[in-house]
Short mmCIF file of all heavy atoms in Angstrom, two decimals:
data_model
loop_
_atom_site.label_atom_id
_atom_site.label_comp_id
_atom_site.label_asym_id
_atom_site.label_seq_id
_atom_site.Cartn_x
_atom_site.Cartn_y
_atom_site.Cartn_z
N PHE A 72 54.50 70.65 9.90
CA PHE A 72 55.13 70.85 11.25
C PHE A 72 54.21 71.21 12.37
O PHE A 72 53.30 72.07 11.96
CB PHE A 72 56.22 71.78 10.95
CG PHE A 72 56.90 72.21 12.27
CD1 PHE A 72 57.81 71.33 12.85
CD2 PHE A 72 56.62 73.33 13.02
CE1 PHE A 72 58.64 71.65 14.00
CE2 PHE A 72 57.29 73.65 14.20
CZ PHE A 72 58.32 72.85 14.66
N MET A 73 54.43 70.58 13.47
CA MET A 73 53.49 71.14 14.54
C MET A 73 54.48 71.51 15.73
O MET A 73 55.38 70.75 16.17
CB MET A 73 52.59 70.02 15.12
CG MET A 73 51.85 70.44 16.28
SD MET A 73 50.70 69.19 16.81
CE MET A 73 49.44 69.34 15.59
N TYR A 74 54.39 72.75 16.30
CA TYR A 74 55.28 73.20 17.26
C TYR A 74 55.01 72.57 18.61
O TYR A 74 53.88 72.23 18.95
CB TYR A 74 54.99 74.75 17.49
CG TYR A 74 55.83 75.45 18.58
CD1 TYR A 74 57.19 75.59 18.26
CD2 TYR A 74 55.31 75.72 19.68
CE1 TYR A 74 58.11 76.16 19.29
CE2 TYR A 74 56.09 76.33 20.64
CZ TYR A 74 57.45 76.61 20.45
OH TYR A 74 58.18 77.05 21.43
N ALA A 75 56.08 72.31 19.38
CA ALA A 75 55.96 71.68 20.76
C ALA A 75 55.18 70.49 20.79
O ALA A 75 54.18 70.31 21.57
CB ALA A 75 55.45 72.74 21.66
N ARG A 76 55.40 69.51 19.91
CA ARG A 76 54.63 68.31 19.70
C ARG A 76 54.49 67.43 20.87
O ARG A 76 53.66 66.54 20.95
CB ARG A 76 54.94 67.57 18.43
CG ARG A 76 56.24 66.94 18.47
CD ARG A 76 56.49 66.30 17.13
NE ARG A 76 57.76 65.61 17.17
CZ ARG A 76 58.07 64.35 17.53
NH1 ARG A 76 56.90 63.65 17.83
NH2 ARG A 76 59.15 63.81 17.62
N ASN A 77 55.56 67.44 21.71
CA ASN A 77 55.56 66.43 22.98
C ASN A 77 55.28 67.09 24.26
O ASN A 77 55.52 66.50 25.35
CB ASN A 77 56.86 65.67 22.89
CG ASN A 77 56.96 64.70 21.73
OD1 ASN A 77 56.03 64.13 21.47
ND2 ASN A 77 58.14 64.59 21.13
N ASP A 78 55.03 68.38 24.27
CA ASP A 78 54.68 69.05 25.51
C ASP A 78 53.63 68.49 26.42
O ASP A 78 52.41 68.49 26.04
CB ASP A 78 54.46 70.58 25.34
CG ASP A 78 55.69 71.32 24.91
OD1 ASP A 78 56.74 70.71 24.93
OD2 ASP A 78 55.63 72.49 24.71
N GLY A 79 53.88 67.80 27.42
CA GLY A 79 52.92 67.36 28.39
C GLY A 79 51.98 66.18 27.95
O GLY A 79 50.98 65.96 28.55
N VAL A 80 52.40 65.55 26.94
CA VAL A 80 51.52 64.42 26.39
C VAL A 80 52.37 63.19 26.32
O VAL A 80 53.46 63.23 25.78
CB VAL A 80 51.01 64.80 24.94
CG1 VAL A 80 50.15 63.68 24.37
CG2 VAL A 80 50.23 66.04 24.90
N LYS A 81 51.95 62.05 26.83
CA LYS A 81 52.69 60.88 26.85
C LYS A 81 52.70 60.26 25.51
O LYS A 81 53.80 60.18 24.87
CB LYS A 81 52.10 59.93 27.89
CG LYS A 81 52.99 58.80 28.33
CD LYS A 81 52.52 58.14 29.51
CE LYS A 81 53.61 57.19 30.04
NZ LYS A 81 53.31 56.48 31.22
N ASP A 82 51.65 59.68 25.08
CA ASP A 82 51.58 58.96 23.69
C ASP A 82 50.83 59.73 22.66
O ASP A 82 50.96 59.67 21.56
CB ASP A 82 51.04 57.54 23.96
CG ASP A 82 51.94 56.72 24.58
OD1 ASP A 82 53.14 56.87 24.55
OD2 ASP A 82 51.48 55.71 25.27
N GLY A 83 49.76 60.51 23.20
CA GLY A 83 48.70 61.11 22.25
C GLY A 83 49.24 61.90 21.08
O GLY A 83 48.81 61.79 19.98
N ARG A 84 50.29 62.67 21.44
CA ARG A 84 50.77 63.69 20.47
C ARG A 84 51.54 63.07 19.29
O ARG A 84 51.29 63.31 18.06
CB ARG A 84 51.69 64.68 21.13
CG ARG A 84 52.09 65.87 20.26
CD ARG A 84 50.96 66.85 19.86
NE ARG A 84 50.67 67.66 20.99
CZ ARG A 84 49.93 68.63 20.93
NH1 ARG A 84 49.29 68.91 19.70
NH2 ARG A 84 49.52 69.37 21.85
N ASP A 85 52.33 61.94 19.63
CA ASP A 85 53.02 61.31 18.59
C ASP A 85 51.91 60.62 17.64
O ASP A 85 52.07 60.57 16.32
CB ASP A 85 53.98 60.33 19.03
CG ASP A 85 55.27 60.94 19.70
OD1 ASP A 85 55.55 62.16 19.29
OD2 ASP A 85 55.91 60.39 20.60
N ARG A 86 50.93 60.02 18.23
CA ARG A 86 50.01 59.22 17.45
C ARG A 86 49.19 60.46 16.55
O ARG A 86 48.78 60.06 15.37
CB ARG A 86 48.96 58.69 18.48
CG ARG A 86 47.80 57.92 17.58
CD ARG A 86 48.39 56.79 16.83
NE ARG A 86 47.27 56.26 16.01
CZ ARG A 86 47.58 55.70 14.91
NH1 ARG A 86 48.76 55.50 14.43
NH2 ARG A 86 46.53 55.31 14.12
N TYR A 87 48.89 61.58 17.21
CA TYR A 87 48.27 62.62 16.48
C TYR A 87 49.11 63.13 15.29
O TYR A 87 48.59 63.20 14.20
CB TYR A 87 47.98 63.80 17.37
CG TYR A 87 47.34 65.06 16.71
CD1 TYR A 87 46.00 65.04 16.34
CD2 TYR A 87 48.12 66.07 16.34
CE1 TYR A 87 45.44 66.01 15.72
CE2 TYR A 87 47.58 67.22 15.69
CZ TYR A 87 46.25 67.20 15.49
OH TYR A 87 45.59 68.27 14.76
N MET A 88 50.38 63.18 15.55
CA MET A 88 51.28 63.61 14.28
C MET A 88 51.30 62.53 13.22
O MET A 88 51.36 62.88 12.08
CB MET A 88 52.74 63.90 14.90
CG MET A 88 52.93 65.09 15.68
SD MET A 88 52.35 66.47 14.78
CE MET A 88 53.52 66.66 13.55
N ALA A 89 51.28 61.25 13.60
CA ALA A 89 51.21 60.26 12.63
C ALA A 89 49.98 60.32 11.83
O ALA A 89 49.90 60.16 10.54
CB ALA A 89 51.41 58.77 13.32
N ASP A 90 48.79 60.60 12.46
CA ASP A 90 47.58 60.70 11.75
C ASP A 90 47.61 61.93 10.86
O ASP A 90 47.06 61.79 9.76
CB ASP A 90 46.40 60.81 12.76
CG ASP A 90 46.19 59.52 13.59
OD1 ASP A 90 46.62 58.49 13.14
OD2 ASP A 90 45.45 59.68 14.58
N VAL A 91 48.13 63.02 11.33
CA VAL A 91 48.29 64.24 10.47
C VAL A 91 49.01 63.92 9.21
O VAL A 91 48.67 64.34 8.11
CB VAL A 91 48.79 65.38 11.36
CG1 VAL A 91 49.16 66.62 10.38
CG2 VAL A 91 47.76 65.90 12.27
N GLY A 92 50.10 63.23 9.45
CA GLY A 92 50.96 62.90 8.25
C GLY A 92 50.20 61.99 7.32
O GLY A 92 50.32 62.17 6.08
N GLY A 93 49.36 61.12 7.74
CA GLY A 93 48.54 60.18 6.85
C GLY A 93 47.47 61.04 6.13
O GLY A 93 47.32 60.80 4.98
N ASN A 94 47.02 61.99 6.83
CA ASN A 94 45.93 62.80 6.26
C ASN A 94 46.61 63.77 5.20
O ASN A 94 45.91 64.08 4.08
CB ASN A 94 45.31 63.76 7.22
CG ASN A 94 44.13 62.95 7.98
OD1 ASN A 94 43.97 61.71 7.81
ND2 ASN A 94 43.53 63.63 8.98
N ARG A 95 47.80 64.20 5.48
CA ARG A 95 48.57 65.11 4.54
C ARG A 95 48.75 64.29 3.19
O ARG A 95 48.56 64.80 2.15
CB ARG A 95 49.79 65.55 5.12
CG ARG A 95 50.60 66.48 4.19
CD ARG A 95 51.88 67.01 4.88
NE ARG A 95 52.61 67.71 3.93
CZ ARG A 95 52.41 68.95 3.53
NH1 ARG A 95 51.38 69.66 3.95
NH2 ARG A 95 53.22 69.57 2.71
N ARG A 96 49.27 63.08 3.33
CA ARG A 96 49.59 62.30 2.17
C ARG A 96 48.29 61.95 1.39
O ARG A 96 48.29 62.00 0.19
CB ARG A 96 50.27 60.96 2.55
CG ARG A 96 50.81 60.25 1.45
CD ARG A 96 51.71 61.00 0.52
NE ARG A 96 52.11 60.17 -0.53
CZ ARG A 96 52.45 60.79 -1.87
NH1 ARG A 96 52.29 62.01 -1.99
NH2 ARG A 96 52.61 60.05 -2.83
N GLU A 97 47.28 61.60 2.11
CA GLU A 97 45.88 61.34 1.54
C GLU A 97 45.46 62.57 0.72
O GLU A 97 44.93 62.37 -0.40
CB GLU A 97 44.86 60.83 2.50
CG GLU A 97 43.72 60.36 1.76
CD GLU A 97 42.91 59.38 2.68
OE1 GLU A 97 43.48 58.71 3.54
OE2 GLU A 97 41.60 59.41 2.57
N ALA A 98 45.62 63.71 1.27
CA ALA A 98 45.17 65.01 0.66
C ALA A 98 46.04 65.19 -0.59
O ALA A 98 45.43 65.53 -1.79
CB ALA A 98 45.31 66.23 1.54
N GLN A 99 47.29 64.87 -0.56
CA GLN A 99 48.19 65.07 -1.75
C GLN A 99 47.78 64.07 -2.89
O GLN A 99 47.59 64.47 -4.08
CB GLN A 99 49.56 64.86 -1.46
CG GLN A 99 50.17 65.95 -0.50
CD GLN A 99 51.50 65.55 -0.02
OE1 GLN A 99 51.80 64.42 0.28
NE2 GLN A 99 52.40 66.61 0.17
#
Side-chain angles (χ1 to χ4, degrees):
F72 177 76
M73 180 180 280
Y74 179 72
R76 67 183 185 89
N77 289 320
D78 287 356
V80 179
K81 194 169 190 172
D82 289 332
R84 186 67 77 169
D85 287 336
R86 178 71 191 148
Y87 178 77
M88 288 302 295
D90 290 345
V91 168
N94 282 0
R95 181 176 173 80
R96 186 62 181 145
E97 188 157 328
Q99 291 170 327

